[in-house]
Each structure stands twice: as structure tokens, then as C-alpha cells.
Amino acid sequence: MGFPDRIERTIELAHPPVKVWAALTTAEGLGTWFGNEADIELRPGGKAWMRWNEEGHRADMRVERVEKPHVFGFTWHIFGLPEEDPRRTYVEFTLEPVAAGTRLTVVETGFAQLAEDAYKAAFEGNIRGWQNELGELASYLDAA
């Protein structure tokens, strides 16, 4: 059985691409709206991480694509799999200037490599996660 492999969400933000880019690609930005703490080496092959203090969870990432200020991509561990599992999903943010500010699209792929039970937990969890996180990004930008 084949599974959908792609989560895609688009949001329009009333802020210029340079401001949205900084929220996505700096430790200060990521550590405020996405996690509670973060670090990033912004170059292809660079390491990044985010930590959520309430859950005690840490996400390690590898920066894959940096095309300032339009495309930022990284791979990260798949939710629900053991930490030592080498499989990852790829997340890509695309920023497009629009009259009102920025159209931001996030696409996450790589779920089809999972067995049905792991797929369901990861895919459904990340669908909810991106909805929540993009709302937090909008709130962060509006408050800044």
C-alpha cells in the first residue's frame, strides 16, 4: 500500500521575506517560535538543533539547502522512531514576496519509507505539528 509522502502548508505573513527568513534561519528565531532553545550553522551540511524544555525533547537537524532569502531546507529525525534510526524527513521552507508581505510554504517529505504504524504516528503528528508551529511563527512575527 502506498502512503502520501508529502505534507504541505502555505501561510501568508504580513512581514517582508527578510524578517521571515531571520525567524526561520537564526538560533534566536527558531529558539523562540519553534522550540525553546536552538542553534544553527547556516550552510549546506551545517548542524542545527532545537530543544523544547517542557517536553525535554531535542531535534537534531542537518541543513541541506540555503538560498537566502528564498529557500531553507533541512533533514531531521522522524517523530516516533528510535533515536538511532537513520531515516529522516526533509523539510523545505520557500519564501515568496507578495503585496501583503511573504507567502511561506513548508513542505515535508519522506514519510513513505515507513511501515504503516510508524507512518500513521509520524504523518498525522506532523500534520498537527505544522499547523500549530506555523501559527506560533505568525504570532512571533506579529509580536516582534
Side-chain angles (χ1 to χ4, degrees):
M1 174 181 175
F3 303 117
D5 189 51
R6 177 184 182 97
I7 296 171
E8 182 172 338
R9 295 287 178 262
T10 299
I11 185 172
E12 295 219 0
L13 301 161
H15 303 280
V18 67
K19 185 173 180 180
V20 178
W21 179 261
L24 298 173
T25 62
T26 64
E28 178 185 346
L30 288 171
T32 303
W33 71 270
F34 207 160
N36 299 113
E37 205 179 340
D39 193 30
I40 185 167
E41 186 181 340
L42 190 61
R43 63 171 181 77
K47 294 180 181 180
W49 59 265
M50 292 181 296
R51 183 180 359 255
W52 291 263
N53 296 336
E54 315 76 64
E55 298 93 16
H57 177 72
R58 176 181 160 130
D60 290 304
M61 305 172 298
R62 175 185 153 91
V63 176
E64 301 292 345
R65 190 169 173 195
V66 178
E67 295 175 21
K68 183 180 181 178
H70 303 290
V71 182
F72 171 56
F74 62 85
T75 53
W76 65 353
H77 179 76
I78 299 172
F79 174 76
L81 295 183
E83 285 299 318
E84 64 275 5
D85 193 300
R87 293 175 287 180
R88 303 286 183 261
T89 56
Y90 175 68
V91 176
E92 186 169 276
F93 292 98
T94 304
L95 293 77
E96 177 186 350
V98 294
T102 304
R103 177 177 297 123
L104 175 67
T105 301
V106 60
V107 175
E108 184 172 11
T109 57
F111 297 98
Q113 64 186 308
L114 303 173
E116 188 172 356
D117 55 340
Y119 167 84
K120 185 174 180 173
F123 191 76
E124 291 178 6
N126 285 26
I127 285 175
R128 287 187 307 275
W130 284 118
Q131 181 178 350
N132 294 336
E133 295 300 342
L134 291 176
E136 289 182 21
L137 172 61
S139 296
Y140 166 75
L141 289 167
D142 289 347

